[in-house]
Amino acid sequence: MFLPCLDGDVAAAPPSSAGLRVALERLAVLNERIATQPDVRDRLEAALRNRRYATGAQARE
């Protein structure tokens, strides 16, 4: 069942049409956020790499 995935704010009753709509909307938002994360990561990585090279700092690995 999908109810445990909804932050516990949906009643434990069988899902209604409205409940299913909320779940689908939340899933769409999560999918959108997940899809944007590689771009966010890449921009952060590039910014850190550029700053490191600009300051002459060495990467610690």
Side-chain angles (χ1 to χ4, degrees), residues 13-25:
S16 65
S17 295
L20 289 171
R21 188 173 54 253
V22 168
L24 289 169
E25 290 169 0

Side-chain angles (χ1 to χ4, degrees), residues 24-44:
L24 289 169
E25 290 169 0
R26 290 186 184 185
L27 180 60
V29 169
L30 287 172
N31 283 333
E32 187 175 328
R33 288 180 184 171
I34 290 167
T36 63
Q37 292 308 299
D39 291 335
V40 172
R41 179 202 58 222
D42 292 346
R43 286 194 313 268
L44 176 58

Side-chain angles (χ1 to χ4, degrees), residues 37-60:
Q37 292 308 299
D39 291 335
V40 172
R41 179 202 58 222
D42 292 346
R43 286 194 313 268
L44 176 58
E45 185 176 51
L48 291 171
R49 184 175 46 249
N50 291 339
R51 177 138 173 102
R52 185 174 64 230
Y53 292 139
T55 62
Q58 297 296 317
R60 293 184 184 174

